[in-house]
Amino acid sequence: YKEGKLRAIGVSNFLQDDIQNILSTCEIKPMVNQMLAHISNTPFELIEYCQRNDILVQAYSPIAHGAVLGNKQIAAIAETYKVTVAQLCLRYDIQLGLAPIPKTANPAHLQNNSELNFVISDEDMEVLKNIEHIKDYGEHRTMPVFGGKL
C-alpha cells in the first residue's frame, strides 16, 4: 500500500472483534469489509461499527442468491416503486450506505441492476429492515455464509 501498488486494503466477513483487533495494532486500517448484507439479513450493528470507523461495507449477494425473489412482502414493495425485487434489493443496500456487488452474466439483468433512480421511503426502509430472516437459501445453503457458519 505504501509503495502505491495497492489502492485499498480490504477484509471479508470480519466481525467487530476481528476489526477491533486489527485497528488496535495496524498501521494502515482496512478500507473495506466485504460481507453478506441484504434484505432479510442485514447485520446492522456490524455495518454501523464499520461506518463509524470509515470502513466501507461491500455487500455481496445483495439479492440473496435469489432467495428473496419469491418473498411476497418484498415483491409488493417493489411493485409500489414499479421496479423489480432485484432493483429494490440493490437500492436498499445503497440507502444503507453500502456498496452492493451483484453477480450476473445476463446482460439484461446487468442493465436492469443499473437502473436505480428511485428512493425507498423511510417507512418502506423500516419494513424492509424488519423482513423475516431467510431460513433456507435453497441449493446455496451448503455455502458457509448461507448455512449460518459465519
Side-chain angles (χ1 to χ4, degrees), residues 102-142:
K103 176 187 159 211
T104 184
N106 182 318
H109 290 168
L110 183 63
Q111 176 64 38
N112 187 270
N113 288 347
S114 70
E115 297 169 359
L116 303 174
N117 56 347
F118 65 99
V119 175
I120 303 169
S121 72
D122 291 342
E123 296 81 17
D124 286 338
M125 282 296 288
E126 283 306 310
V127 171
L128 294 170
K129 287 177 181 178
N130 292 292
I131 293 281
E132 184 178 352
H133 189 78
I134 293 174
K135 292 179 181 60
D136 185 357
Y137 284 90
E139 67 184 77
H140 303 288
R141 72 173 139 310
T142 58

mmCIF file of all heavy atoms in Angstrom, residues 102-142:
data_model
loop_
_atom_site.group_PDB
_atom_site.id
_atom_site.type_symbol
_atom_site.label_atom_id
_atom_site.label_comp_id
_atom_site.label_asym_id
_atom_site.label_seq_id
_atom_site.Cartn_x
_atom_site.Cartn_y
_atom_site.Cartn_z
ATOM 1 N N PRO A 102 -23.666 -7.019 -7.019
ATOM 2 C CA PRO A 102 -24.491 -8.101 -7.569
ATOM 3 C C PRO A 102 -23.712 -8.895 -8.610
ATOM 4 O O PRO A 102 -22.787 -8.386 -9.239
ATOM 5 C CB PRO A 102 -25.662 -7.356 -8.208
ATOM 6 C CG PRO A 102 -25.093 -6.033 -8.578
ATOM 7 C CD PRO A 102 -24.066 -5.712 -7.518
ATOM 8 N N LYS A 103 -24.105 -10.134 -8.769
ATOM 9 C CA LYS A 103 -23.465 -11.008 -9.749
ATOM 10 C C LYS A 103 -24.499 -11.368 -10.808
ATOM 11 O O LYS A 103 -25.614 -11.766 -10.484
ATOM 12 C CB LYS A 103 -22.972 -12.277 -9.050
ATOM 13 C CG LYS A 103 -22.376 -13.289 -9.987
ATOM 14 C CD LYS A 103 -22.074 -14.584 -9.237
ATOM 15 C CE LYS A 103 -21.983 -15.692 -10.235
ATOM 16 N NZ LYS A 103 -22.383 -16.951 -9.736
ATOM 17 N N THR A 104 -24.117 -11.204 -12.061
ATOM 18 C CA THR A 104 -24.965 -11.673 -13.151
ATOM 19 C C THR A 104 -24.123 -11.828 -14.404
ATOM 20 O O THR A 104 -23.179 -11.079 -14.625
ATOM 21 C CB THR A 104 -26.151 -10.722 -13.431
ATOM 22 O OG1 THR A 104 -26.980 -11.311 -14.443
ATOM 23 C CG2 THR A 104 -25.698 -9.354 -13.882
ATOM 24 N N ALA A 105 -24.473 -12.798 -15.199
ATOM 25 C CA ALA A 105 -23.858 -12.972 -16.512
ATOM 26 C C ALA A 105 -24.853 -12.580 -17.604
ATOM 27 O O ALA A 105 -24.524 -12.594 -18.778
ATOM 28 C CB ALA A 105 -23.426 -14.428 -16.693
ATOM 29 N N ASN A 106 -26.047 -12.202 -17.180
ATOM 30 C CA ASN A 106 -27.120 -11.856 -18.099
ATOM 31 C C ASN A 106 -27.080 -10.354 -18.394
ATOM 32 O O ASN A 106 -27.293 -9.539 -17.488
ATOM 33 C CB ASN A 106 -28.452 -12.252 -17.451
ATOM 34 C CG ASN A 106 -29.640 -11.984 -18.333
ATOM 35 O OD1 ASN A 106 -29.728 -10.958 -18.972
ATOM 36 N ND2 ASN A 106 -30.585 -12.913 -18.325
ATOM 37 N N PRO A 107 -26.835 -9.949 -19.640
ATOM 38 C CA PRO A 107 -26.763 -8.520 -19.975
ATOM 39 C C PRO A 107 -28.036 -7.743 -19.616
ATOM 40 O O PRO A 107 -27.960 -6.589 -19.192
ATOM 41 C CB PRO A 107 -26.522 -8.509 -21.484
ATOM 42 C CG PRO A 107 -25.914 -9.837 -21.785
ATOM 43 C CD PRO A 107 -26.529 -10.797 -20.796
ATOM 44 N N ALA A 108 -29.193 -8.362 -19.763
ATOM 45 C CA ALA A 108 -30.448 -7.682 -19.419
ATOM 46 C C ALA A 108 -30.517 -7.418 -17.909
ATOM 47 O O ALA A 108 -30.956 -6.345 -17.481
ATOM 48 C CB ALA A 108 -31.648 -8.506 -19.875
ATOM 49 N N HIS A 109 -30.088 -8.391 -17.113
ATOM 50 C CA HIS A 109 -30.071 -8.200 -15.658
ATOM 51 C C HIS A 109 -29.060 -7.126 -15.276
ATOM 52 O O HIS A 109 -29.322 -6.302 -14.387
ATOM 53 C CB HIS A 109 -29.740 -9.496 -14.930
ATOM 54 C CG HIS A 109 -30.820 -10.510 -14.990
ATOM 55 N ND1 HIS A 109 -30.634 -11.817 -14.616
ATOM 56 C CD2 HIS A 109 -32.119 -10.434 -15.395
ATOM 57 C CE1 HIS A 109 -31.746 -12.500 -14.781
ATOM 58 N NE2 HIS A 109 -32.667 -11.674 -15.253
ATOM 59 N N LEU A 110 -27.918 -7.132 -15.951
ATOM 60 C CA LEU A 110 -26.892 -6.125 -15.688
ATOM 61 C C LEU A 110 -27.447 -4.729 -15.945
ATOM 62 O O LEU A 110 -27.279 -3.812 -15.122
ATOM 63 C CB LEU A 110 -25.654 -6.388 -16.550
ATOM 64 C CG LEU A 110 -24.475 -5.464 -16.345
ATOM 65 C CD1 LEU A 110 -23.918 -5.578 -14.936
ATOM 66 C CD2 LEU A 110 -23.381 -5.797 -17.355
ATOM 67 N N GLN A 111 -28.128 -4.550 -17.059
ATOM 68 C CA GLN A 111 -28.737 -3.256 -17.381
ATOM 69 C C GLN A 111 -29.787 -2.888 -16.338
ATOM 70 O O GLN A 111 -29.802 -1.776 -15.821
ATOM 71 C CB GLN A 111 -29.374 -3.298 -18.783
ATOM 72 C CG GLN A 111 -30.120 -2.037 -19.165
ATOM 73 C CD GLN A 111 -29.223 -0.821 -19.271
ATOM 74 O OE1 GLN A 111 -28.087 -0.920 -19.733
ATOM 75 N NE2 GLN A 111 -29.709 0.324 -18.846
ATOM 76 N N ASN A 112 -30.650 -3.838 -16.011
ATOM 77 C CA ASN A 112 -31.708 -3.614 -15.035
ATOM 78 C C ASN A 112 -31.124 -3.236 -13.674
ATOM 79 O O ASN A 112 -31.635 -2.346 -12.993
ATOM 80 C CB ASN A 112 -32.570 -4.876 -14.944
ATOM 81 C CG ASN A 112 -33.787 -4.683 -14.090
ATOM 82 O OD1 ASN A 112 -33.728 -4.915 -12.890
ATOM 83 N ND2 ASN A 112 -34.886 -4.278 -14.699
ATOM 84 N N ASN A 113 -30.034 -3.897 -13.283
ATOM 85 C CA ASN A 113 -29.401 -3.631 -11.990
ATOM 86 C C ASN A 113 -28.839 -2.217 -11.898
ATOM 87 O O ASN A 113 -28.624 -1.706 -10.800
ATOM 88 C CB ASN A 113 -28.271 -4.631 -11.716
ATOM 89 C CG ASN A 113 -28.783 -6.019 -11.401
ATOM 90 O OD1 ASN A 113 -29.957 -6.224 -11.143
ATOM 91 N ND2 ASN A 113 -27.894 -6.986 -11.434
ATOM 92 N N SER A 114 -28.582 -1.603 -13.029
ATOM 93 C CA SER A 114 -28.008 -0.252 -13.021
ATOM 94 C C SER A 114 -29.076 0.840 -13.001
ATOM 95 O O SER A 114 -28.761 2.008 -12.834
ATOM 96 C CB SER A 114 -27.095 -0.060 -14.240
ATOM 97 O OG SER A 114 -27.855 -0.006 -15.426
ATOM 98 N N GLU A 115 -30.324 0.462 -13.154
ATOM 99 C CA GLU A 115 -31.417 1.436 -13.200
ATOM 100 C C GLU A 115 -32.042 1.589 -11.810
ATOM 101 O O GLU A 115 -33.053 0.974 -11.493
ATOM 102 C CB GLU A 115 -32.441 1.009 -14.243
ATOM 103 C CG GLU A 115 -31.860 0.992 -15.651
ATOM 104 C CD GLU A 115 -32.744 0.326 -16.680
ATOM 105 O OE1 GLU A 115 -33.838 -0.170 -16.333
ATOM 106 O OE2 GLU A 115 -32.322 0.290 -17.856
ATOM 107 N N LEU A 116 -31.389 2.413 -11.004
ATOM 108 C CA LEU A 116 -31.783 2.537 -9.600
ATOM 109 C C LEU A 116 -32.127 3.979 -9.226
ATOM 110 O O LEU A 116 -31.891 4.413 -8.105
ATOM 111 C CB LEU A 116 -30.651 2.028 -8.701
ATOM 112 C CG LEU A 116 -30.207 0.588 -8.957
ATOM 113 C CD1 LEU A 116 -28.995 0.246 -8.116
ATOM 114 C CD2 LEU A 116 -31.340 -0.386 -8.694
ATOM 115 N N ASN A 117 -32.707 4.706 -10.166
ATOM 116 C CA ASN A 117 -33.007 6.114 -9.923
ATOM 117 C C ASN A 117 -34.359 6.293 -9.231
ATOM 118 O O ASN A 117 -35.253 6.965 -9.735
ATOM 119 C CB ASN A 117 -32.924 6.917 -11.221
ATOM 120 C CG ASN A 117 -33.833 6.367 -12.297
ATOM 121 O OD1 ASN A 117 -34.340 5.261 -12.167
ATOM 122 N ND2 ASN A 117 -34.057 7.133 -13.348
ATOM 123 N N PHE A 118 -34.486 5.700 -8.072
ATOM 124 C CA PHE A 118 -35.660 5.869 -7.219
ATOM 125 C C PHE A 118 -35.157 5.845 -5.781
ATOM 126 O O PHE A 118 -34.024 5.452 -5.515
ATOM 127 C CB PHE A 118 -36.705 4.761 -7.466
ATOM 128 C CG PHE A 118 -36.249 3.386 -7.080
ATOM 129 C CD1 PHE A 118 -36.629 2.826 -5.864
ATOM 130 C CD2 PHE A 118 -35.443 2.627 -7.927
ATOM 131 C CE1 PHE A 118 -36.203 1.549 -5.501
ATOM 132 C CE2 PHE A 118 -35.016 1.353 -7.576
ATOM 133 C CZ PHE A 118 -35.407 0.819 -6.360
ATOM 134 N N VAL A 119 -35.987 6.294 -4.866
ATOM 135 C CA VAL A 119 -35.618 6.314 -3.450
ATOM 136 C C VAL A 119 -36.697 5.568 -2.676
ATOM 137 O O VAL A 119 -37.897 5.827 -2.850
ATOM 138 C CB VAL A 119 -35.491 7.765 -2.938
ATOM 139 C CG1 VAL A 119 -35.217 7.787 -1.443
ATOM 140 C CG2 VAL A 119 -34.391 8.504 -3.693
ATOM 141 N N ILE A 120 -36.280 4.672 -1.826
ATOM 142 C CA ILE A 120 -37.206 3.937 -0.961
ATOM 143 C C ILE A 120 -37.552 4.852 0.217
ATOM 144 O O ILE A 120 -36.657 5.423 0.851
ATOM 145 C CB ILE A 120 -36.570 2.629 -0.457
ATOM 146 C CG1 ILE A 120 -36.125 1.752 -1.636
ATOM 147 C CG2 ILE A 120 -37.541 1.881 0.455
ATOM 148 C CD1 ILE A 120 -35.254 0.564 -1.243
ATOM 149 N N SER A 121 -38.828 4.990 0.505
ATOM 150 C CA SER A 121 -39.260 5.855 1.609
ATOM 151 C C SER A 121 -38.737 5.329 2.939
ATOM 152 O O SER A 121 -38.425 4.133 3.077
ATOM 153 C CB SER A 121 -40.788 5.933 1.663
ATOM 154 O OG SER A 121 -41.321 4.704 2.134
ATOM 155 N N ASP A 122 -38.653 6.208 3.920
ATOM 156 C CA ASP A 122 -38.215 5.807 5.264
ATOM 157 C C ASP A 122 -39.118 4.714 5.826
ATOM 158 O O ASP A 122 -38.648 3.770 6.467
ATOM 159 C CB ASP A 122 -38.211 7.013 6.212
ATOM 160 C CG ASP A 122 -37.135 8.028 5.866
ATOM 161 O OD1 ASP A 122 -36.182 7.682 5.132
ATOM 162 O OD2 ASP A 122 -37.248 9.182 6.335
ATOM 163 N N GLU A 123 -40.415 4.842 5.568
ATOM 164 C CA GLU A 123 -41.369 3.849 6.079
ATOM 165 C C GLU A 123 -41.117 2.477 5.460
ATOM 166 O O GLU A 123 -41.095 1.459 6.162
ATOM 167 C CB GLU A 123 -42.815 4.283 5.796
ATOM 168 C CG GLU A 123 -43.245 5.553 6.500
ATOM 169 C CD GLU A 123 -42.775 6.840 5.798
ATOM 170 O OE1 GLU A 123 -42.381 6.795 4.594
ATOM 171 O OE2 GLU A 123 -42.779 7.891 6.459
ATOM 172 N N ASP A 124 -40.906 2.454 4.146
ATOM 173 C CA ASP A 124 -40.644 1.176 3.487
ATOM 174 C C ASP A 124 -39.278 0.615 3.883
ATOM 175 O O ASP A 124 -39.118 -0.605 3.995
ATOM 176 C CB ASP A 124 -40.744 1.319 1.965
ATOM 177 C CG ASP A 124 -42.186 1.460 1.494
ATOM 178 O OD1 ASP A 124 -43.110 1.053 2.236
ATOM 179 O OD2 ASP A 124 -42.394 1.985 0.381
ATOM 180 N N MET A 125 -38.302 1.495 4.106
ATOM 181 C CA MET A 125 -36.990 1.013 4.575
ATOM 182 C C MET A 125 -37.147 0.303 5.916
ATOM 183 O O MET A 125 -36.540 -0.748 6.142
ATOM 184 C CB MET A 125 -35.988 2.166 4.697
ATOM 185 C CG MET A 125 -35.389 2.621 3.389
ATOM 186 S SD MET A 125 -34.363 1.379 2.540
ATOM 187 C CE MET A 125 -32.900 1.336 3.574
ATOM 188 N N GLU A 126 -37.972 0.860 6.797
ATOM 189 C CA GLU A 126 -38.185 0.219 8.102
ATOM 190 C C GLU A 126 -38.828 -1.156 7.932
ATOM 191 O O GLU A 126 -38.460 -2.108 8.625
ATOM 192 C CB GLU A 126 -39.027 1.108 9.020
ATOM 193 C CG GLU A 126 -38.254 2.251 9.611
ATOM 194 C CD GLU A 126 -36.984 1.826 10.342
ATOM 195 O OE1 GLU A 126 -37.040 0.915 11.196
ATOM 196 O OE2 GLU A 126 -35.915 2.400 10.046
ATOM 197 N N VAL A 127 -39.779 -1.255 7.029
ATOM 198 C CA VAL A 127 -40.406 -2.560 6.767
ATOM 199 C C VAL A 127 -39.349 -3.533 6.250
ATOM 200 O O VAL A 127 -39.242 -4.666 6.726
ATOM 201 C CB VAL A 127 -41.573 -2.427 5.758
ATOM 202 C CG1 VAL A 127 -42.068 -3.800 5.314
ATOM 203 C CG2 VAL A 127 -42.712 -1.614 6.350
ATOM 204 N N LEU A 128 -38.539 -3.092 5.293
ATOM 205 C CA LEU A 128 -37.527 -3.965 4.702
ATOM 206 C C LEU A 128 -36.456 -4.367 5.718
ATOM 207 O O LEU A 128 -35.964 -5.501 5.695
ATOM 208 C CB LEU A 128 -36.873 -3.283 3.494
ATOM 209 C CG LEU A 128 -37.807 -3.050 2.306
ATOM 210 C CD1 LEU A 128 -37.143 -2.165 1.264
ATOM 211 C CD2 LEU A 128 -38.270 -4.369 1.702
ATOM 212 N N LYS A 129 -36.129 -3.474 6.620
ATOM 213 C CA LYS A 129 -35.143 -3.793 7.664
ATOM 214 C C LYS A 129 -35.650 -4.882 8.599
ATOM 215 O O LYS A 129 -34.857 -5.552 9.256
ATOM 216 C CB LYS A 129 -34.815 -2.546 8.491
ATOM 217 C CG LYS A 129 -33.976 -1.526 7.779
ATOM 218 C CD LYS A 129 -33.776 -0.297 8.667
ATOM 219 C CE LYS A 129 -32.965 0.762 7.992
ATOM 220 N NZ LYS A 129 -32.814 1.970 8.841
ATOM 221 N N ASN A 130 -36.955 -5.038 8.648
ATOM 222 C CA ASN A 130 -37.548 -5.991 9.593
ATOM 223 C C ASN A 130 -38.202 -7.198 8.922
ATOM 224 O O ASN A 130 -38.961 -7.920 9.559
ATOM 225 C CB ASN A 130 -38.558 -5.257 10.482
ATOM 226 C CG ASN A 130 -37.859 -4.288 11.404
ATOM 227 O OD1 ASN A 130 -37.139 -4.688 12.301
ATOM 228 N ND2 ASN A 130 -38.036 -3.001 11.156
ATOM 229 N N ILE A 131 -37.895 -7.407 7.655
ATOM 230 C CA ILE A 131 -38.406 -8.601 6.956
ATOM 231 C C ILE A 131 -37.862 -9.838 7.657
ATOM 232 O O ILE A 131 -36.703 -9.869 8.083
ATOM 233 C CB ILE A 131 -37.957 -8.589 5.463
ATOM 234 C CG1 ILE A 131 -38.615 -7.441 4.703
ATOM 235 C CG2 ILE A 131 -38.196 -9.933 4.787
ATOM 236 C CD1 ILE A 131 -40.036 -7.649 4.281
ATOM 237 N N GLU A 132 -38.691 -10.853 7.741
ATOM 238 C CA GLU A 132 -38.272 -12.102 8.398
ATOM 239 C C GLU A 132 -36.990 -12.647 7.773
ATOM 240 O O GLU A 132 -36.836 -12.671 6.548
ATOM 241 C CB GLU A 132 -39.391 -13.141 8.293
ATOM 242 C CG GLU A 132 -39.076 -14.417 9.028
ATOM 243 C CD GLU A 132 -40.203 -15.433 8.958
ATOM 244 O OE1 GLU A 132 -41.298 -15.104 8.460
ATOM 245 O OE2 GLU A 132 -39.977 -16.566 9.392
ATOM 246 N N HIS A 133 -36.085 -13.084 8.628
ATOM 247 C CA HIS A 133 -34.800 -13.628 8.203
ATOM 248 C C HIS A 133 -35.000 -14.885 7.344
ATOM 249 O O HIS A 133 -35.832 -15.722 7.667
ATOM 250 C CB HIS A 133 -33.957 -13.977 9.436
ATOM 251 C CG HIS A 133 -32.556 -14.344 9.130
ATOM 252 N ND1 HIS A 133 -31.588 -13.411 8.833
ATOM 253 C CD2 HIS A 133 -31.954 -15.551 9.052
ATOM 254 C CE1 HIS A 133 -30.447 -14.032 8.606
ATOM 255 N NE2 HIS A 133 -30.644 -15.325 8.735
ATOM 256 N N ILE A 134 -34.253 -14.979 6.267
ATOM 257 C CA ILE A 134 -34.322 -16.163 5.404
ATOM 258 C C ILE A 134 -33.818 -17.369 6.185
ATOM 259 O O ILE A 134 -32.733 -17.333 6.768
ATOM 260 C CB ILE A 134 -33.475 -15.964 4.129
ATOM 261 C CG1 ILE A 134 -34.100 -14.882 3.257
ATOM 262 C CG2 ILE A 134 -33.338 -17.273 3.348
ATOM 263 C CD1 ILE A 134 -33.264 -14.513 2.052
ATOM 264 N N LYS A 135 -34.599 -18.406 6.184
ATOM 265 C CA LYS A 135 -34.220 -19.621 6.911
ATOM 266 C C LYS A 135 -33.549 -20.653 6.018
ATOM 267 O O LYS A 135 -32.816 -21.516 6.482
ATOM 268 C CB LYS A 135 -35.461 -20.222 7.577
ATOM 269 C CG LYS A 135 -36.003 -19.357 8.697
ATOM 270 C CD LYS A 135 -37.251 -19.983 9.307
ATOM 271 C CE LYS A 135 -37.840 -19.162 10.416
ATOM 272 N NZ LYS A 135 -38.255 -17.835 10.082
ATOM 273 N N ASP A 136 -33.815 -20.573 4.707
ATOM 274 C CA ASP A 136 -33.275 -21.582 3.797
ATOM 275 C C ASP A 136 -32.887 -20.917 2.478
ATOM 276 O O ASP A 136 -33.733 -20.362 1.781
ATOM 277 C CB ASP A 136 -34.328 -22.665 3.561
ATOM 278 C CG ASP A 136 -33.813 -23.832 2.728
ATOM 279 O OD1 ASP A 136 -32.643 -23.796 2.275
ATOM 280 O OD2 ASP A 136 -34.583 -24.777 2.526
ATOM 281 N N TYR A 137 -31.609 -20.984 2.151
ATOM 282 C CA TYR A 137 -31.106 -20.426 0.902
ATOM 283 C C TYR A 137 -31.132 -21.454 -0.230
ATOM 284 O O TYR A 137 -30.424 -21.304 -1.210
ATOM 285 C CB TYR A 137 -29.689 -19.890 1.101
ATOM 286 C CG TYR A 137 -29.638 -18.572 1.839
ATOM 287 C CD1 TYR A 137 -29.546 -18.525 3.218
ATOM 288 C CD2 TYR A 137 -29.667 -17.372 1.147
ATOM 289 C CE1 TYR A 137 -29.488 -17.323 3.890
ATOM 290 C CE2 TYR A 137 -29.614 -16.161 1.812
ATOM 291 C CZ TYR A 137 -29.520 -16.141 3.183
ATOM 292 O OH TYR A 137 -29.463 -14.943 3.850
ATOM 293 N N GLY A 138 -31.920 -22.491 -0.075
ATOM 294 C CA GLY A 138 -32.057 -23.491 -1.135
ATOM 295 C C GLY A 138 -30.744 -24.193 -1.415
ATOM 296 O O GLY A 138 -30.029 -24.592 -0.501
ATOM 297 N N GLU A 139 -30.421 -24.334 -2.689
ATOM 298 C CA GLU A 139 -29.211 -25.060 -3.075
ATOM 299 C C GLU A 139 -27.936 -24.406 -2.552
ATOM 300 O O GLU A 139 -26.894 -25.032 -2.477
ATOM 301 C CB GLU A 139 -29.132 -25.175 -4.600
ATOM 302 C CG GLU A 139 -28.933 -23.845 -5.288
ATOM 303 C CD GLU A 139 -28.944 -23.935 -6.805
ATOM 304 O OE1 GLU A 139 -30.039 -24.046 -7.376
ATOM 305 O OE2 GLU A 139 -27.841 -23.885 -7.386
ATOM 306 N N HIS A 140 -28.016 -23.145 -2.153
ATOM 307 C CA HIS A 140 -26.842 -22.430 -1.669
ATOM 308 C C HIS A 140 -26.637 -22.578 -0.166
ATOM 309 O O HIS A 140 -25.672 -22.053 0.379
ATOM 310 C CB HIS A 140 -26.940 -20.952 -2.037
ATOM 311 C CG HIS A 140 -27.092 -20.739 -3.505
ATOM 312 N ND1 HIS A 140 -26.061 -20.942 -4.386
ATOM 313 C CD2 HIS A 140 -28.167 -20.404 -4.252
ATOM 314 C CE1 HIS A 140 -26.485 -20.716 -5.617
ATOM 315 N NE2 HIS A 140 -27.761 -20.391 -5.564
ATOM 316 N N ARG A 141 -27.512 -23.314 0.509
ATOM 317 C CA ARG A 141 -27.419 -23.437 1.960
ATOM 318 C C ARG A 141 -26.154 -24.138 2.427
ATOM 319 O O ARG A 141 -25.773 -24.015 3.576
ATOM 320 C CB ARG A 141 -28.654 -24.111 2.535
ATOM 321 C CG ARG A 141 -28.774 -25.603 2.266
ATOM 322 C CD ARG A 141 -29.949 -26.186 3.039
ATOM 323 N NE ARG A 141 -30.813 -27.149 2.457
ATOM 324 C CZ ARG A 141 -31.447 -27.149 1.310
ATOM 325 N NH1 ARG A 141 -31.286 -26.183 0.482
ATOM 326 N NH2 ARG A 141 -32.237 -28.108 0.933
ATOM 327 N N THR A 142 -25.485 -24.845 1.524
ATOM 328 C CA THR A 142 -24.253 -25.544 1.919
ATOM 329 C C THR A 142 -23.050 -24.603 1.987
ATOM 330 O O THR A 142 -22.030 -24.954 2.572
ATOM 331 C CB THR A 142 -23.929 -26.690 0.939
ATOM 332 O OG1 THR A 142 -23.798 -26.147 -0.374
ATOM 333 C CG2 THR A 142 -25.023 -27.748 0.962
#
